Amino acid sequence: MGRFCCRCCCPRGLWMLSAPCCDDRRMCVCPGPRRIGIPVRSSSLPLFSDAMPAPTQLFFPLIRNCELSRVYGTACYCYHKHLCCSSPYVPQGRLRYTPHPAYATFCRPKENWWQYTQGRRYASTPQKFYLTPPQVNSILKANEYSFKVPEFDGKNVSSVLGFDSNQLPANAPIEDRRSAATCLQTRGMLLGVFDGHAGCACSQAVSERLFYYIAVSLLPYETLLEIENAVESGRALLPILQWHKHPNDYFSKEASKLYFNSLRTYWQELIDLNTGESSDIDVKEALINAFKRLDNDISLEAQVGDPNSFLNYLVLRVAFSGATACVAHVDGVDLHVANTGDSRAMLGVQEEDGSWSAVTLSNDHNAQNERELERLKLEHPKNEAKSVVKQDRLLGLLMPFRAFGDVKFKWSIDLQKRVIESGPDQLNENEYTKFIPPNYYTPPYLTAEPEVTYHRLRPQDKFLVLATDGLWETMHRQDVVRIVGEYLTGMHHQQPIAVGGYKVTLGQMHGLLTERRTKMSSVFEDQNAATHLIRHAVGNNEFGTVDHERLSKMLSLPEELARMYRDDITIIVVQFNSHVVGAYQNQE
Amino acid sequence: MMFYRLLSIVQRQRTNPRWQNWSSARSSASAAEAHSITLPTQTQVVICGGGVMGASVAYHLSKMGWKDVVLLEQGRLAAGSTRFCAGILSTARHLTIEQKMADYSNKLYHQLEQETGIQTGYIRTGSICLAQTQDRLISLKRINSRLNVIGIPSEIISPKKVAELHPLLNVHDLVGAMHVPEDAVVSSADVALALASAASQNGVQIYDRTTVLHVMVKKGQVTGVETDKGQIECQYFVNCAGQWAYELGLSNEEPVSIPLHACEHFYLLTRPLETPLPSNTPTIMDSDGRIYIRNWQGGILSGGFEKNPKPLFTEGKNQLEIQNLQEDWDHFEPLLSSLLRRMPELETLEIMKLVNCPETFTPDMRCIMGESPAVQGYFVLAGMNSAGLSFGGGAGKFLAEWMVHGYPSENVWELDLKRFGALQSSRTFLRHRVMEVMPLICDLKVPRWDFQTGRQLRTSPLYDRLDAQGARWMEKHGFERPKYFVPPDKDLLALEQSKTFYKPDWFDIVESEVKCCKEAVCVIDMSSFTKFEITSTGDQALEILQYLFSNDLDVPVGHIVHTGMLNEGGGYENDCSIARLNKRSFFMISPTDQQVHCWAWLKKHMPKDSNLVLEDVTWKYTALNLIGPRAVDVLSELSYAPMTPDHFPSLFCKEMSVGYANGIRVMSMTHTGEPGFMLYIPIEYALHVYNEVMSVGQKYGIRNAGYYALRSLRIEKFFAFWGQDLNTLTTPLECGRESRVKLDKGMDFIGRDALLQQRQNGVYKRFTMFILDDHDTDLDLWPWWGEPIYRNGQYVGKTTSSAYSYSLERHVCLGFVHNFSEDTGEEQVVTADFINRGEYEIDIAGHRFQAKAKLYPIASLFTHKRRKDDMEMSDLHGK
């Protein structure tokens, strides 16, 4: 989430300071990192002159693209019309993203630029361009992934039927990550979404490492010992996780050894700490330990460094960027959600009358959460009460109040300086890493410790949606649950028709059925619940139905602009097997 | 198609107290005691299942003199799918054997009321099969031709005529229809009751509310059944348990695989029309609309076969749940739309009920009958693919004949349980496959259609390699076989669009493969063929094979013998090639789908306590067929051994090295009549040998080929194939294979007496090759199989297979010619003279094409030479 904004001259950071009213995240049209605003040392007047070249820079690739293909040119045109002029095609009032007053100032240079380029370079009028439905689908479906828990001989004993996941980038490259895996040495399945900021290094590392830490935390002593002995004697290791990955979900090959060593140290400590009494492992505790331990390892690896310069730079990038995590562990009817940051887990519950309701299983760790504000104030001296959260951001900068990485908010100033100085040049030249947050007196200000929620699954709990804030800021949770619920149950959410004793003619019945089918037909466009949800999140009009024109426009945005309209969206929809859940219930 | 029975039965059940005591009110004393008395301890036959199938088997057994029969039903008689059957008896079937079964059923049910005094509700309504497309009409015309030649009246009619026959039909989207005036509707539960009643009068004992738990087996032979009411000893067990047949088969200690699976099936019942429909209103089959419609108590009954069926009972549940199946209107919506389109006036008709009743389907849409290959005395009749009522009478008759005489009076290989093995018995496979089969009931049946589900189960080690080179696959007995190889620069039609009765889109591809087989060399992966090895310590292997096979197998080591495995009647149970590996060991190659049947036959006839070892080595060898004049060059280069006919005569087998791999069984035969070799390669060497062959073969113009090329080659050379052309009722003498029978080999063999007699009396049918004369390959309908053959305008038989011969540039059909007496219709002796002196026509969907009959293959095809002036630059290109 949020491009690492020091790459360009950062008009977004600037603007953030000059237009502090942009607290409505949905209204935030700034293409910059919404999580982290970077103050610029100059005052407001030079600011403006600073800002002037930025749009040109921002749009420079566009000019080239315009020449290369009409796609970008016209897409840009759409965007332009849509936002800056009162588009005749799209009445202003209908837009969720109404141009912000502050934005008008910001985008004026672009308008000039447009006229300029148009006058100078283009003789023809730009044509209106929309992606066709198949093109839209191919974009939406590029990252979709489905997993069905294998059904053996007609018997399915897992409480999870399977899951659908998908992500739609707004940043380039995307900073969100997702993971899903089945625990092989214990029971249960792990699913998680990770929202990165200031780059994707941290979210990438967390997405490939966190589940191992959790799985290890859950392992009984004997299994840990067995694994350690196998490592020691060079035997084949027990597999711990069965990953369910989309081909685009990669793992870092280079760091794999380093990561393994850190993980091994962790289980060695777990072995050493074993008291000998075989107590039941508490999932909640295991989750908390795993989160904290991984964050600690990320921090340590950055401090220690690595002789390999590539790895050295990697561990530093991981530590200096950040990521939130929202992870679910499902084992039979026991559902644990561990959350750090502002991604969210939402349970879809089907009431007896067939309607859907949403049960939130996580708390956002941000300024909208009173308890978090309270916690932060308590953790720091009274005199920092005003500076610790400013403009709804941690130290005025960071939107989530808990996160992995982000050592800028965790390390002492000394440590930060020492690491940066001894670090590679790239780090030294980086404005963002060098910059120390203002009012930085009593670190750490940030923690990766998750809040763990437990829920015992009931037959009416049909599915769980894990998603990054990119989804939640565009859609209300109730809508999310309703859309997924209706999608997953297909026809069945409609009460089945029974003729009973009534007088019904074939014609009446036919009319009724046709109506019901039309209602459902839009659902079947997607084979993946997460894709379906993204389609709604991006394409919904004010009536709550997907507007293809709108969807097409949103997806036609060039990467440089996409970030202004939406955030990366990552969604996992886990579907539960009500029969199995019901059977568990009956056993007791 | 067959269908669902009216609620009248259900209602009667509620209102009529007679129903509860069906037996006392309706039947004889023995059945009346069913509820109270204990089971007999011993009987000859136990039939499990009191539906129309069980009742029919009992009826026919008792008619044929087997009266010591007990029929057990877990619920009430005629209570399962039989109760719900829509009661349509339709003879419009795709297979001749199915047409015959339905025809017999029709005649049986017709006189049943008279015979038993029980009302069966039989009304001869006739049926009309509608065609909305030209392709459908072709399909109907093909059925029409075949119905007519077996004496079932039917005709192709115009839409206008359809409207006259049925007042409510909307006919403006029709291109034609087929009218079968003698088809009927009947109450299937009453038919079952009447059959049971007649059986019970003949001495069959019937017990309802008695559940068979499992069948007891000793030494591979049925010894009795265990029921919830005690044991019964018996020699024969008949599994007619319908959708529960699969579970019942598995409940044995030695499981019997009966691959079938149930799907939900829906049909609609309405109240009567204002002017009630007359009871003789014809039944409508609208396959393009996926529905059937019959009159029912003045209203209509209409159901269909949807594209997205709902399989059920995959986990095997008990019968109680049948009652609880829900109506699903949303699921029925496409069928309802289709009904209202066909009969728009029904809009105002009031609904009475949507019935949901499970129907049973099999992996290939054909029913299952016959004896288990594993357990002697265990017979099965089930898996009717929702045609139970239509087949009930005929199928019951065939099975009873099978039990009493050892074989049925018609060839039923297409329906034989032994066409399946355990490999089709996976629940997942069945669940997926029946979801494809059920819609197929209404789909257009075109030549060369392959199932899409349940694939890639058995594959050769070269599968991936061939697939990457463009192979398109067909499946036989679970085994993937290449049909042909699509060159990289060529696109074929999508699956649905490739359905055609005309020239297919792969025509040119197969042509180039055939050409390559004739001029250079091709490789065909033929690993699917069934391969057995028979060894013994002494001479037992030779002795038993000499007894089982008609040709003389006492040949020098290294020789290959083509021979038939005959039954007592001299008919082919199997047709195979046997190589004598050494004095005491033989290698036997038979068709792919013979794996279960041939094994069972051999096991049945082998002495139990000998030191014979029979091993199925199908999975141990990959078979590559090197076809073509340059095969010899490729092999000699790879083996450093001379392969010329002097060193390696035809029909010879040698173990040798190919490339680095040693111990490859090389046989000089190709199953096509072309020169070349079969290589039987231990599977771990398969990839190596294939790679070597392909790389060395490059300079000889080698390329991959598939089964379609093989088929074209074998048919143009008049090679008969078991399962297609040959069956248990055809003898070697009838297909010109006298040379493969050694009546004087010095010892008796099975079928010898029958053949001796046949040699003396002459044959009553003769396998003949037909070359179509005035047939335009590009424009005319292609022959398939089952087309009627006319001699001097008289029907004389049907084709069994056909292919386009690229050498003759003509279609070639193979088939049997009979000589029916003009007066009596009796079969008479067929002489060569009779064949040669006729003018022939082949009827393809109602259009007759002139054909030349040949009794012997065309010699010139075996010595192919390309004329010099035909050569062109492209002959220099690598293939």
Side-chain angles (χ1 to χ4, degrees):
Chain A
M1 148 164 265
R3 180 169 315 114
F4 194 41
C5 82
C6 296
R7 215 178 72 186
C8 67
C9 294
C10 194
R12 288 89 88 189
L14 274 178
W15 172 78
M16 200 95 56
L17 288 185
S18 59
C21 54
C22 179
D23 52 3
D24 181 347
R25 304 179 63 186
R26 269 191 275 174
M27 302 278 283
C28 177
V29 285
C30 156
R34 277 178 293 172
R35 265 169 210 291
I36 311 170
I38 300 296
V40 169
R41 269 152 269 151
S42 37
S43 62
S44 68
L45 193 62
L47 263 188
F48 203 76
S49 55
D50 253 9
M52 281 305 285
T56 339
Q57 200 171 351
L58 187 67
F59 280 85
F60 183 63
L62 271 184
I63 300 171
R64 278 179 295 145
N65 285 335
C66 284
E67 285 169 345
L68 289 173
S69 85
R70 226 177 43 218
V71 176
Y72 270 54
T74 44
C76 165
Y77 169 70
C78 294
Y79 142 78
H80 181 71
K81 278 276 213 202
H82 177 148
L83 271 178
C84 303
C85 323
S86 309
S87 161
Y89 309 108
V90 189
Q92 286 273 330
R94 284 189 164 200
L95 286 174
R96 184 162 258 174
Y97 300 87
T98 32
H100 193 277
Y103 182 69
T105 350
F106 175 61
C107 68
R108 190 166 301 127
K110 269 177 301 188
E111 220 164 354
N112 296 338
W113 163 79
W114 179 255
Q115 285 152 6
Y116 174 68
T117 49
Q118 203 174 21
R120 212 183 82 174
R121 296 196 172 203
Y122 290 91
S124 61
T125 351
Q127 289 168 338
K128 208 163 133 186
F129 173 82
Y130 292 128
L131 298 172
T132 62
Q135 288 171 319
V136 164
N137 280 347
S138 74
I139 294 175
L140 287 180
K141 294 180 179 190
N143 291 315
E144 76 179 9
Y145 178 79
S146 281
F147 174 76
K148 284 210 162 27
V149 173
E151 185 189 329
F152 293 111
D153 233 15
K155 292 179 204 76
N156 188 345
V157 291
S158 167
S159 60
V160 175
L161 274 177
F163 68 86
D164 289 341
S165 79
N166 198 354
Q167 45 187 202
L168 181 70
N171 293 297
I174 187 168
E175 294 177 349
D176 276 7
R177 291 292 184 270
R178 58 183 157 170
S179 292
T182 305
C183 299
L184 296 178
Q185 300 303 326
T186 55
R187 293 176 314 161
M189 195 163 180
L190 286 164
L191 305 117
V193 294
F194 311 98
D195 185 345
H197 48 262
C200 59
C202 187
S203 53
Q204 173 62 32
V206 174
S207 75
E208 53 185 288
R209 301 177 70 182
L210 180 59
F211 286 8
Y212 279 113
Y213 280 74
I214 297 173
V216 161
S217 311
L218 287 168
L219 288 181
Y221 173 70
E222 295 74 26
T223 316
L224 288 174
L225 211 56
E226 199 179 332
I227 294 175
E228 173 57 24
N229 288 340
V231 176
E232 199 52 47
S233 55
R235 275 185 286 120
L237 299 185
L238 290 175
I240 299 178
L241 291 177
Q242 177 71 52
W243 291 96
H244 313 299
K245 291 197 306 190
H246 186 275
N248 291 356
D249 301 340
Y250 62 95
F251 276 6
S252 149
K253 260 205 141 56
E254 296 80 6
S256 135
K257 216 176 154 140
L258 173 74
Y259 291 168
F260 178 82
N261 285 333
S262 298
L263 183 69
R264 185 181 174 197
T265 316
Y266 177 40
W267 79 54
Q268 284 171 336
E269 277 173 34
L270 287 177
I271 292 171
D272 292 344
L273 288 172
N274 184 275
T275 48
E277 6 172 328
S278 62
S279 57
D280 277 346
I281 287 161
D282 181 53
V283 179
K284 180 174 177 177
E285 210 174 302
L287 286 165
I288 294 175
N289 290 342
F291 272 62
K292 284 162 75 175
R293 177 68 185 206
L294 172 60
D295 192 47
N296 202 35
D297 283 355
I298 287 173
S299 168
L300 275 177
E301 284 156 9
Q303 290 173 43
V304 173
D306 196 283
N308 174 320
S309 65
F310 176 83
L311 274 186
N312 196 32
Y313 185 44
L314 176 72
V315 295
L316 286 165
R317 274 189 297 141
V318 169
F320 275 93
S321 58
T324 73
C326 185
V327 173
H329 177 262
V330 197
D331 175 9
V333 285
D334 300 321
L335 168 63
H336 286 86
V337 173
N339 184 45
T340 286
D342 54 5
S343 293
R344 209 179 280 171
M346 195 68 65
L347 192 65
V349 182
Q350 189 167 31
E351 306 297 342
E352 269 174 27
D353 63 358
S355 67
W356 293 95
S357 61
V359 173
T360 317
L361 291 184
S362 63
N363 297 311
D364 295 353
H365 300 134
N366 58 18
Q368 276 69 49
N369 183 340
E370 287 296 330
R371 291 224 314 276
E372 280 297 290
L373 286 171
E374 205 55 36
R375 173 181 68 84
L376 274 171
K377 282 177 188 159
L378 281 176
E379 284 175 2
H380 298 280
K382 275 218 167 77
N383 55 0
E384 289 187 51
K386 279 197 179 144
S387 61
V388 71
V389 175
K390 260 184 164 175
Q391 291 154 18
D392 282 349
R393 286 161 185 258
L394 186 67
L395 298 176
L397 296 170
L398 190 63
M399 290 191 64
F401 289 179
R402 300 191 194 191
F404 282 93
D406 281 328
V407 290
K408 300 175 62 54
F409 299 88
K410 290 174 180 166
W411 288 354
S412 68
I413 295 178
D414 278 356
L415 181 58
Q416 292 194 33
K417 283 190 171 150
R418 208 167 65 229
V419 170
I420 290 169
E421 273 161 24
S422 63
D425 294 344
Q426 299 103 311
L427 203 63
N428 254 318
E429 289 159 9
N430 190 315
E431 288 286 328
Y432 169 68
T433 41
K434 274 207 297 213
F435 160 75
I436 302 287
N439 305 312
Y440 198 79
Y441 308 118
T442 50
Y445 286 89
L446 192 64
T447 174
E449 176 168 341
E451 205 174 342
V452 179
T453 329
Y454 171 74
H455 179 82
R456 196 184 150 80
L457 288 174
R458 306 155 300 169
Q460 63 264 42
D461 300 332
K462 301 296 182 191
F463 59 88
L464 177 75
V465 180
L466 298 173
T468 55
D469 62 341
L471 174 74
W472 306 112
E473 65 195 15
T474 56
M475 278 179 100
H476 190 268
R477 59 196 192 119
Q478 191 58 45
D479 292 336
V480 167
V481 165
R482 185 182 50 80
I483 287 167
V484 174
E486 289 177 359
Y487 172 83
L488 287 180
T489 49
M491 295 268 187
H492 303 296
H493 80 289
Q494 302 182 350
Q495 285 298 302
I497 302 179
V499 176
Y502 299 101
K503 275 187 81 164
V504 187
T505 68
L506 290 178
Q508 288 167 337
M509 178 59 86
H510 183 235
L512 181 63
L513 295 176
T514 319
E515 192 183 309
R516 282 158 69 95
R517 200 174 52 133
T518 330
K519 213 166 148 191
M520 292 320 298
S521 60
S522 69
V523 166
F524 297 112
E525 210 170 338
D526 294 314
Q527 269 83 54
N528 183 302
T531 311
H532 188 64
L533 205 45
I534 292 180
R535 189 185 297 278
H536 277 272
V538 180
N540 259 9
N541 58 21
E542 71 276 27
F543 305 118
T545 56
V546 174
D547 174 350
H548 176 74
E549 196 173 308
R550 181 186 166 80
L551 186 60
S552 167
K553 276 181 190 167
M554 290 294 285
L555 296 178
S556 310
L557 295 173
E559 1 181 280
E560 288 84 355
L561 298 183
R563 189 61 190 83
M564 301 172 79
Y565 293 88
R566 56 166 206 268
D567 193 359
D568 292 339
I569 298 177
T570 298
I571 300 172
I572 300 180
V573 178
V574 191
Q575 213 184 334
F576 299 118
N577 187 337
S578 301
H579 297 294
V580 174
V581 171
Y584 270 105
Q585 214 171 35
N586 292 340
Q587 278 169 15
E588 285 151 29
Chain B
M1 332 200 158
M2 18 347 200
F3 310 163
Y4 292 41
R5 166 67 204 246
L6 344 180
L7 286 230
S8 61
I9 287 293
V10 186
Q11 287 165 342
R12 205 183 309 159
Q13 227 175 321
R14 291 200 200 97
T15 55
N16 187 345
R18 269 197 326 178
W19 176 268
Q20 268 83 16
N21 316 329
W22 161 78
S23 37
S24 55
R26 288 193 169 199
S27 185
S28 68
S30 63
E33 294 156 11
H35 296 297
S36 49
I37 64 161
T38 48
L39 297 176
T41 54
Q42 206 180 346
T43 182
Q44 189 184 10
V45 183
V46 170
I47 300 171
C48 171
V52 69
M53 288 302 152
S56 174
V57 173
Y59 172 89
H60 286 100
L61 279 178
S62 65
K63 282 249 153 152
M64 295 166 93
W66 280 26
K67 298 180 189 288
D68 189 9
V69 176
V70 171
L71 190 153
L72 305 177
E73 160 61 40
Q74 60 173 343
R76 274 188 297 262
L77 279 182
S81 290
T82 299
R83 189 188 90 195
F84 288 109
C85 173
I88 299 171
L89 197 148
S90 157
T91 48
R93 309 265 154 210
H94 288 272
L95 293 181
T96 298
I97 185 72
E98 292 178 343
Q99 291 174 348
K100 285 181 177 168
M101 290 198 299
D103 187 41
Y104 174 83
S105 303
N106 196 355
K107 291 178 173 129
L108 175 70
Y109 302 163
H110 183 51
Q111 54 82 48
L112 204 56
E113 194 165 323
Q114 203 179 2
E115 182 186 338
T116 63
I118 294 176
Q119 291 189 354
T120 56
Y122 183 95
I123 301 168
R124 187 157 276 177
T125 59
S127 68
I128 306 172
C129 303
L130 309 181
Q132 292 182 26
T133 63
Q134 288 299 340
D135 272 348
R136 176 71 64 183
L137 194 59
I138 293 168
S139 182
L140 291 177
K141 282 176 176 169
R142 293 181 60 93
I143 293 173
N144 184 57
S145 305
R146 287 201 240 178
L147 282 176
N148 288 336
V149 298
I150 60 167
I152 301 174
S154 68
E155 60 173 334
I156 298 295
I157 57 175
S158 65
K160 207 174 138 195
K161 184 78 195 296
V162 174
E164 284 167 24
L165 286 167
H166 198 301
L168 295 175
L169 280 188
N170 162 23
V171 296
H172 72 249
D173 59 345
L174 299 182
V175 298
M178 178 174 71
H179 184 216
V180 189
E182 289 187 2
D183 279 355
V185 295
V186 64
S187 153
S188 63
D190 289 335
V191 162
L193 295 178
L195 289 171
S197 155
S200 120
Q201 265 158 10
N202 278 336
V204 173
Q205 305 174 62
I206 299 174
Y207 299 88
D208 58 4
R209 298 169 203 278
T210 307
T211 306
V212 174
L213 300 176
H214 64 261
V215 178
M216 297 178 292
V217 176
K218 246 187 217 135
K219 288 185 184 158
Q221 168 77 43
V222 170
T223 60
V225 295
E226 178 86 51
T227 75
D228 60 348
K229 302 232 170 84
Q231 287 187 357
I232 309 177
E233 280 180 32
C234 64
Q235 291 110 59
Y236 293 94
F237 175 76
V238 188
N239 183 341
C240 295
Q243 60 197 324
W244 314 117
Y246 173 82
E247 295 290 332
L248 182 59
L250 291 189
S251 68
N252 289 359
E253 210 167 296
E254 176 142 15
V256 175
S257 299
I258 307 166
L260 49 82
H261 196 288
C263 285
E264 292 180 45
H265 176 77
F266 297 91
Y267 65 87
L268 171 80
L269 296 172
T270 72
R271 309 252 171 227
L273 276 86
E274 259 173 52
T275 19
L277 272 186
S279 61
N280 62 350
T281 311
T283 300
I284 303 297
M285 313 285 178
D286 182 2
S287 293
D288 295 308
R290 307 195 154 270
I291 52 167
Y292 56 83
I293 312 161
R294 61 160 282 193
N295 76 77
W296 182 71
Q297 300 191 349
I300 60 126
L301 177 159
S302 171
F305 299 93
E306 63 273 21
K307 277 186 176 161
N308 52 336
K310 306 207 291 191
L312 82 169
F313 303 137
T314 306
E315 292 156 62
K317 299 197 175 142
N318 63 51
Q319 196 180 15
L320 295 173
E321 307 222 357
I322 273 204
Q323 327 299 343
N324 301 331
L325 289 174
Q326 299 292 319
E327 58 192 314
D328 186 342
W329 280 99
D330 292 303
H331 193 70
F332 193 71
E333 188 269 336
L335 301 178
L336 179 59
S337 301
S338 177
L339 171 65
L340 290 177
R341 188 167 91 138
R342 187 56 55 220
M343 296 189 182
E345 287 170 48
L346 297 188
E347 285 250 341
T348 54
L349 193 56
E350 194 188 325
I351 294 166
M352 185 167 126
K353 193 174 167 120
L354 184 66
V355 182
N356 177 359
C357 111
E359 274 293 318
T360 311
F361 298 89
T362 60
D364 59 359
M365 213 172 48
R366 297 170 184 175
C367 74
I368 295 174
M369 65 161 74
E371 189 175 11
S372 154
V375 181
Q376 281 189 43
Y378 193 119
F379 283 81
V380 179
L381 182 58
M384 292 295 147
N385 300 290
S386 79
L389 181 67
S390 297
F391 295 160
K397 183 183 99 172
F398 286 144
L399 194 80
E401 286 172 351
W402 202 328
M403 294 172 68
V404 174
H405 306 310
Y407 47 87
S409 56
E410 293 275 347
N411 167 46
V412 293
W413 167 247
E414 286 151 322
L415 315 175
D416 192 333
L417 171 64
K418 290 195 273 293
R419 71 189 187 274
F420 297 121
L423 71 94
Q424 285 91 355
S425 243
S426 138
R427 287 177 202 263
T428 315
F429 167 78
L430 287 171
R431 184 182 171 88
H432 290 181
R433 177 55 68 82
V434 296
M435 288 173 74
E436 182 182 359
V437 165
M438 179 165 152
L440 218 53
I441 287 180
C442 285
D443 285 344
L444 199 61
K445 278 152 208 80
V446 294
R448 303 164 298 264
W449 179 254
D450 300 307
F451 286 103
Q452 302 302 306
T453 52
R455 294 290 296 270
Q456 296 181 330
L457 178 58
R458 301 168 75 204
T459 56
S460 135
L462 304 175
Y463 179 85
D464 282 349
R465 179 61 62 97
L466 301 179
D467 198 54
Q469 294 177 78
R472 293 288 182 277
W473 301 91
M474 63 198 271
E475 170 249 2
K476 187 87 173 180
H477 203 60
F479 212 109
E480 295 292 333
R481 318 197 291 186
K483 294 192 285 194
Y484 46 80
F485 287 77
V486 182
D489 52 348
K490 185 144 174 127
D491 273 335
L492 288 189
L493 295 171
L495 205 58
E496 263 315 302
Q497 290 151 344
S498 68
K499 283 188 168 184
T500 180
F501 290 101
Y502 292 90
K503 183 177 163 180
D505 56 351
W506 43 257
F507 185 83
D508 299 338
I509 296 176
V510 174
E511 175 171 31
S512 57
E513 287 177 10
V514 165
K515 212 167 133 191
C516 186
C517 284
K518 289 187 176 270
E519 296 175 357
V521 53
C522 277
V523 183
I524 305 183
D525 183 344
M526 300 198 14
S527 309
S528 72
F529 276 23
T530 299
K531 303 175 268 288
F532 292 159
E533 258 178 40
I534 302 163
T535 355
S536 62
T537 47
D539 285 338
Q540 299 94 331
L542 178 64
E543 279 163 22
I544 186 71
L545 291 181
Q546 286 286 50
Y547 175 64
L548 290 176
F549 292 88
S550 57
N551 209 336
D552 189 1
L553 288 161
D554 195 4
V555 290
V557 170
H559 280 244
I560 301 170
V561 177
H562 291 310
T563 178
M565 185 172 87
L566 309 183
N567 53 33
E568 291 293 345
Y572 276 101
E573 289 292 329
N574 187 4
D575 183 32
C576 41
S577 310
I578 299 180
R580 189 166 194 179
L581 299 175
N582 59 50
K583 279 204 108 47
R584 304 193 167 94
S585 165
F586 294 83
F587 187 70
M588 184 176 152
I589 302 146
S590 6
T592 310
D593 49 4
Q594 273 279 1
Q595 199 167 18
V596 177
H597 176 250
C598 181
W599 180 268
W601 183 269
L602 292 173
K603 277 284 175 192
K604 190 169 154 189
H605 290 92
M606 268 167 47
K608 296 276 176 286
D609 47 355
S610 74
N611 44 20
L612 270 174
V613 181
L614 174 66
E615 193 190 355
D616 184 344
V617 294
T618 304
W619 62 274
K620 283 187 176 174
Y621 293 94
T622 297
L624 289 183
N625 193 351
L626 253 67
I627 304 179
R630 313 309 300 265
V632 58
D633 302 305
V634 175
L635 263 194
S636 52
E637 194 165 324
L638 275 170
S639 58
Y640 287 93
M643 303 295 290
T644 55
D646 313 339
H647 299 90
F648 210 129
S650 179
L651 289 181
F652 210 69
C653 167
K654 237 190 245 178
E655 281 208 0
M656 51 193 284
S657 65
V658 177
Y660 299 147
N662 208 350
I664 312 295
R665 277 180 197 158
V666 178
M667 303 185 188
S668 45
M669 63 167 185
T670 62
H671 301 281
T672 60
E674 298 291 334
F677 300 89
M678 285 293 306
L679 311 185
Y680 285 89
I681 310 159
I683 50 166
E684 68 266 37
Y685 297 145
L687 201 58
H688 170 77
V689 172
Y690 176 79
N691 288 342
E692 290 296 304
V693 164
M694 290 310 271
S695 82
V696 167
Q698 213 168 12
K699 62 172 173 273
Y700 302 106
I702 201 165
R703 60 173 287 169
N704 292 299
Y707 270 74
Y708 284 3
L710 185 85
R711 211 180 127 75
S712 167
L713 289 168
R714 80 150 172 98
I715 288 176
E716 72 178 15
K717 287 189 206 64
F718 203 6
F719 275 40
F721 208 71
W722 194 92
Q724 184 82 46
D725 309 303
L726 307 180
N727 60 48
T728 52
L729 296 180
T730 51
T731 70
L733 305 188
E734 290 163 353
C735 48
R737 291 182 166 187
E738 294 84 352
S739 62
R740 294 187 185 179
V741 179
K742 298 289 182 314
L743 291 167
D744 312 315
K745 66 181 173 181
M747 65 173 293
D748 191 26
F749 59 88
I750 301 180
R752 181 167 180 268
D753 294 343
L755 293 182
L756 276 172
Q757 204 176 3
Q758 206 174 38
R759 189 170 67 171
Q760 200 157 16
N761 299 346
V763 295
Y764 288 87
K765 59 177 183 277
R766 190 73 160 81
F767 194 49
T768 312
M769 174 158 97
F770 296 94
I771 296 157
L772 293 192
D773 258 350
D774 55 349
H775 184 271
D776 186 325
T777 306
D778 292 321
L779 300 177
D780 286 327
L781 287 170
W782 274 33
W784 183 3
W785 58 273
E787 290 89 11
I789 302 165
Y790 291 88
R791 177 184 176 276
N792 301 340
Q794 295 293 310
Y795 167 72
V796 290
K798 284 199 215 53
T799 63
T800 50
S801 58
S802 73
Y804 182 79
S805 162
Y806 294 91
S807 316
L808 301 170
E809 296 178 334
R810 286 273 181 283
H811 262 287
V812 176
C813 300
L814 309 181
F816 283 92
V817 171
H818 302 249
N819 180 3
F820 300 109
S821 155
E822 270 179 56
D823 312 322
T824 61
E826 232 177 292
E827 289 193 54
Q828 298 171 323
V829 170
V830 177
T831 59
D833 197 41
F834 176 80
I835 302 281
N836 292 332
R837 282 194 300 122
E839 295 287 324
Y840 291 89
E841 288 170 311
I842 308 282
D843 176 338
I844 306 176
H847 189 296
R848 292 191 191 179
F849 294 91
Q850 288 173 16
K852 275 202 190 72
K854 301 259 175 204
L855 278 175
Y856 298 97
I858 298 162
S860 66
L861 287 175
F862 292 86
T863 50
H864 177 85
K865 271 208 181 83
R866 198 141 184 218
R867 289 206 311 277
K868 265 185 212 153
D869 48 2
D870 273 353
M871 298 286 186
E872 46 178 291
M873 276 307 281
S874 71
D875 292 317
L876 297 171
H877 296 173
K879 297 284 155 65

